[in-house]
Amino acid sequence: MEISSDLIIIGTAVLVAANCASIGVFLVLRKMAMMSDAISHSVLLGIVIAVFAVGGREPVAVIVGGVLSGILTISLVELLYRSGKLKQDSSIGIIFPFLFAIGVILVTQAGNVHIDVEHVLYGSIEFAPFDTLYLDELNIGSKSMWVLGILAIANVSFIVILYKELKISTFDKSLALSAGLMPLLVHYLLMIMVATTAVVAFESVGAILVIAFFIVPASAAFLLTDRLSRMLIISVSLGIISAVIGYLFAIFADVSISGSMATITGIIFGLVWIFGPNRGLVSRWRRISKQRFEVDLVIVLTHIHKELGSDRQVSTSSMSNSLGWTKEYSKKLSEFIQEQKFVEKNTQGNFTLTNIGLKKVENYSN
Amino acid sequence: MILEEILSIFLGIFTDYTLRYVALGSAILGITSGALGCFTVLRKQSLFGDAIAHAALPGIGFAYLFAGTKDSLLLMLGAAIFAWFGGMITLAITNTTRIKQDAALGITLSVFFGLGIVLLSYLQSIGGASQGGLDRFLFGQAAALIESDVINLGILSALCFTILILFYKEFKITTFDSSFGQSLGFPIKYLNVLLTSVIVVAVVIGLHTVGVVLMVSMLIAPAAAARQWTSNLKNMIILSAIFGGLSGIIGSMISSTAEGMSTGPVIVITITAILGISFVFSPKQGYLFKHLRNQRKSQISLDNIKTISDKEKENHGNI
């Protein structure tokens, strides 16, 4: 079975993206995004200890060690946090650098562990095609693809089977508690899935890309929809798109693959943030300026009505003086109200209200 | 024997040229990040430091790309600009979208760091070995500190402390009650930006010694440890600076004893140990004294029960 190495790298990345982006939705919604930061760093310690214990890079031992250290991280953070001595974010910021530091020292002090500390951060997805799995001496394809594929099945079944529980405990914890949906159990199961996903993904792409895939596509999806099911689909799609574009860019520019993928997730997030429908910065700004214009229309018509009532004249220049607007804005508004036939200009350049305008003003004052 | 060895390591600070600068650089970092970390912890922005430390990486890449030198001051300037930019992006995301702070921090951290790795790998592909010196910012390389680096770090640290002393009252008020500060007419928005900028400088100092990954620990752990001993901000800042400086010196001394042991992780483990000690031994909140107090309390209540039951016996005799 021979697949080209490009396809294996893209496949690995796509599987990592899908795994992380789906679980990441719940992290973002539950305000636990930085937990993925903590877990994906402290996983190093578990992997190093597992390698020591078994004497080699056995995939099962590495995954078990990593998951255990992930659970250790979560438990320590919650222990510190629940003791009331520290806030949650401080607990995270103390536990993971500590565990990571121990991991780094173990790696550098023991010469026989084949772990490159820098590669821990940005992974070595480039080598995914060369790490193949053998079944009875038969090459059955890339190891990372197999492991990630199994993980994807586990993640999908986790989300599908516990969808109701996850959804309710995410949005309304007390309802989940009273409905007997065991939010605490769901919480710990979710954390175990996060740890497993982080370990497996970490092995192929490194800590930073794991965090990027966990948080960034899910955050972008959060800005695009209000439905959980859609958010999951959008998040996974954005993750996969970033993986593919990131890989192509990395090959084109001859730069780090995982770094390039992380950057692309950020660019996609930035595009959604600025240009997204409804919640994007541009559409928000448009909406706000439209609302402001409508309010100013009311102000200017009432102003003209009042001034005419007390026998004073209103022109474009007097408008900008008395209402404190710039000349350009007053000109724009006065042109608009003339176009709409709310007012007419007489020969001296002063405004008089038409019947339509008068009706409009009366509408406002009612 | 052991005492002698410890003494010789300690004396190494005065005799060993390399160790002196390593210890001094690490101490400067510890003192600065310890003092400023108090504000990040009290403002519930602990992981802000993590995000901006990671965000600094592309700055180093760009500085090298455009200036073409490894001049440490220039690299630090690039790092500071990007760290600051990353901080502002994080604030902008939380202010203009419904995304919460934790996710915003994660976005800045991973995307900026990813960009940094892209730049470093690009530099490697165009310039051969030139990247070698830039790699050290990931985990820091205190052992590579030389006299001029330490002088630069000292100047930056002095700058931070000058601003801290000048604006102490303002920083205090924005930290504890920013709406009150606003009502008194303090420009809270600018003060927040100024405080963020000072923290950025502390982070940039840390890049040399502990690196981007472990920097967050240097901001949080000393402050959290100091918080266990005192409730007064001024005392907390002083104590936190002492803890940070101490862990810098102890960490660099321990790491000098073993071949190839990187300084950054050892410093982080040292400061976490100081935090652990504070958890146990602090007189007001520590586990040890709490345990003793509880024991004494239960002893007192046991005694009380005993005297009551004795009195009952006296009054009623044997029933």
Side-chain angles (χ1 to χ4, degrees):
Chain A
M1 204 155 97
E2 283 291 324
I3 312 174
S4 86
S5 56
D6 285 306
L7 227 53
I8 290 177
I9 295 175
I10 291 187
T12 305
V14 162
L15 281 170
V16 170
N19 276 312
C20 293
S22 56
I23 290 286
V25 164
F26 296 103
L27 288 176
V28 168
L29 289 175
R30 287 166 167 251
K31 295 169 204 132
M32 299 194 308
M34 288 310 266
M35 211 58 151
S36 67
D37 180 31
I39 291 174
S40 51
H41 278 98
S42 56
V43 150
L44 172 73
L45 179 62
I47 292 178
V48 175
I49 292 176
V51 170
F52 272 134
V54 187
R57 257 190 125 137
E58 286 292 323
V60 179
V62 163
I63 289 173
V64 170
V67 172
L68 285 181
S69 70
I71 294 171
L72 176 75
T73 313
I74 297 161
S75 321
L76 284 176
V77 168
E78 295 209 343
L79 192 74
L80 263 186
Y81 165 53
R82 288 187 202 286
S83 77
K85 290 192 184 300
L86 292 172
K87 295 277 177 300
Q88 194 182 13
D89 57 341
S90 304
S91 322
I92 292 177
I94 283 169
I95 295 298
F96 91 78
F98 177 60
L99 297 178
F100 192 74
I102 297 177
V104 171
I105 288 179
L106 284 180
V107 170
T108 49
Q109 285 305 295
N112 57 348
V113 182
H114 295 290
I115 298 175
D116 191 345
V117 186
E118 267 110 51
H119 278 202
V120 162
L121 284 179
Y122 42 88
S124 45
I125 196 171
E126 292 84 350
F127 299 118
F130 307 112
D131 201 1
T132 47
L133 215 65
Y134 290 91
L135 192 72
D136 290 338
E137 294 183 9
L138 180 74
N139 188 346
I140 54 168
S142 157
K143 190 178 86 186
S144 54
M145 292 274 276
W146 276 99
V147 180
L148 286 163
I150 295 169
L151 179 71
I153 295 169
N155 271 336
V156 168
S157 15
F158 171 71
I159 293 173
V160 169
I161 294 170
L162 291 178
Y163 187 72
K164 189 179 63 191
E165 282 81 357
L166 279 168
K167 186 173 174 178
I168 295 176
S169 67
T170 300
F171 293 108
D172 194 340
K173 210 172 179 180
S174 43
L175 176 65
L177 203 62
S178 61
L181 294 176
M182 297 177 287
L184 208 66
L185 182 69
V186 172
H187 171 78
Y188 282 108
L189 281 177
L190 179 67
M191 281 295 124
I192 290 174
M193 291 314 286
V194 170
T196 318
T197 309
V199 178
V200 173
F202 173 92
E203 271 282 272
S204 346
V205 298
I208 293 303
L209 190 54
V210 171
I211 302 168
F213 277 148
F214 263 127
I215 303 175
V216 188
S219 299
F222 189 40
L223 295 181
L224 289 172
T225 177
D226 286 328
R227 289 188 73 91
L228 179 60
S229 50
R230 276 187 210 147
M231 189 175 161
L232 279 164
I233 294 168
I234 295 174
S235 173
V236 171
S237 318
L238 291 180
I240 291 173
I241 294 171
S242 326
V244 175
I245 299 179
Y247 180 74
L248 296 177
F249 177 74
I251 295 304
F252 169 74
D254 190 20
V255 291
S256 153
I257 295 175
S258 55
S260 155
M261 287 176 182
T263 311
I264 299 293
T265 63
I267 291 173
I268 290 181
F269 174 82
L271 291 176
V272 170
W273 182 21
I274 296 170
F275 299 108
N278 297 324
R279 290 205 177 76
L281 287 181
V282 171
S283 67
R284 254 171 58 121
W285 179 77
R286 274 216 188 116
R287 203 162 47 232
I288 289 170
S289 56
K290 199 180 151 203
Q291 280 167 352
R292 186 175 294 152
F293 189 77
E294 275 162 11
V295 170
D296 288 347
L297 187 66
V298 177
I299 290 173
V300 79
L301 287 178
T302 339
H303 174 69
I304 295 170
H305 182 64
K306 245 178 88 185
E307 293 293 284
L308 288 177
S310 48
D311 280 334
R312 278 193 292 266
Q313 301 297 325
V314 183
S315 64
T316 313
S317 54
S318 82
M319 228 162 81
S320 64
N321 282 339
S322 47
L323 295 176
W325 289 333
T326 59
K327 281 231 165 65
E328 292 78 38
Y329 192 65
S330 319
K331 209 173 164 194
K332 192 181 151 199
L333 250 176
S334 59
E335 271 164 16
F336 180 78
I337 52 178
Q338 282 177 65
E339 261 172 40
Q340 297 288 314
K341 304 234 185 300
F342 294 147
V343 295
E344 274 168 358
K345 233 179 200 173
N346 61 17
T347 42
Q348 284 100 37
N350 295 325
F351 292 121
T352 52
L353 278 173
T354 62
N355 284 335
I356 314 169
L358 211 59
K359 238 179 223 162
K360 196 119 186 150
V361 176
E362 277 161 6
N363 263 346
Y364 295 142
S365 50
N366 285 336
Chain B
M1 266 305 276
I2 300 166
L3 214 69
E4 233 171 64
E5 249 173 60
I6 292 174
L7 196 70
S8 76
I9 294 163
F10 182 71
L11 285 176
I13 291 185
F14 302 103
T15 53
D16 187 334
Y17 178 83
T18 338
L19 182 58
R20 191 193 313 161
Y21 287 116
V22 174
L24 203 58
S26 309
I28 289 174
L29 162 72
I31 291 167
T32 322
S33 63
L36 293 168
C38 291
F39 290 101
T40 62
V41 168
L42 292 173
R43 293 155 73 96
K44 301 184 187 82
Q45 287 185 328
S46 296
L47 294 173
F48 202 71
D50 195 27
I52 57 177
H54 281 78
L57 192 65
I60 294 168
F62 273 121
Y64 182 71
L65 189 63
F66 290 123
T69 62
K70 279 184 207 158
D71 175 36
S72 76
L73 215 53
L74 213 62
L75 295 183
M76 280 201 263
L77 184 69
I81 291 170
F82 268 76
W84 195 83
F85 184 55
M88 292 303 125
I89 290 269
T90 312
L91 291 179
I93 292 175
T94 44
N95 286 340
T96 62
T97 70
R98 56 174 177 175
I99 291 170
K100 297 285 175 299
Q101 199 197 13
D102 61 325
L105 289 172
I107 293 168
T108 312
L109 181 154
S110 56
V111 172
F112 273 74
F113 195 81
L115 182 65
I117 294 171
V118 166
L119 280 173
L120 292 194
S121 61
Y122 176 69
L123 288 174
Q124 196 172 32
S125 73
I126 57 165
S130 68
Q131 187 212 8
L134 303 178
D135 248 3
R136 68 190 169 114
F137 288 103
L138 290 177
F139 297 105
Q141 209 173 41
L145 284 178
I146 50 170
E147 193 180 346
S148 65
D149 289 332
V150 175
I151 291 171
N152 288 341
L153 297 184
I155 293 169
L156 286 176
S157 168
L159 181 77
C160 285
F161 275 101
T162 314
I163 293 174
L164 179 60
I165 291 164
L166 283 178
F167 291 91
Y168 175 73
K169 190 178 65 192
E170 284 81 355
F171 286 163
K172 189 176 176 180
I173 225 164
T174 58
T175 301
F176 290 111
D177 196 342
S178 67
S179 41
F180 177 59
Q182 198 141 31
S183 73
L184 290 180
F186 285 110
I188 299 295
K189 213 172 165 185
Y190 294 109
L191 285 171
N192 281 337
V193 172
L194 183 67
L195 187 55
T196 307
S197 315
V198 186
I199 291 168
V200 163
V201 177
V203 166
V204 169
I205 295 175
L207 297 184
H208 270 288
T209 33
V210 295
V212 296
V213 185
L214 298 173
M215 183 56 214
V216 60
S217 190
M218 292 308 293
L219 281 169
I220 305 176
R227 181 69 188 81
Q228 304 304 316
W229 300 89
T230 174
S231 305
N232 175 303
L233 179 63
K234 201 176 276 173
N235 293 344
M236 182 177 162
I237 292 174
I238 294 169
L239 204 57
S240 178
I242 293 172
F243 284 155
L246 213 60
S247 66
I249 294 172
I250 296 174
S252 46
M253 282 189 329
I254 294 174
S255 72
S256 74
T257 57
E259 187 77 23
M261 192 185 289
S262 27
T263 319
V266 183
I267 295 176
V268 168
I269 291 174
T270 313
I271 188 61
T272 316
I274 292 178
L275 176 64
I277 292 169
S278 305
F279 276 156
V280 178
F281 291 105
S282 98
K284 262 188 197 159
Q285 305 168 2
Y287 288 116
L288 181 67
F289 288 94
K290 233 181 216 170
H291 181 68
L292 290 180
R293 267 200 300 276
N294 285 345
Q295 239 173 14
R296 199 182 304 148
K297 257 186 215 158
S298 56
Q299 189 58 50
I300 289 170
S301 48
L302 268 181
D303 291 349
N304 285 345
I305 291 168
K306 203 159 173 265
T307 44
I308 291 169
S309 66
D310 285 351
K311 267 184 191 164
E312 292 283 296
K313 267 182 197 164
E314 269 172 33
N315 289 346
H316 299 285
N318 287 331
I319 304 166

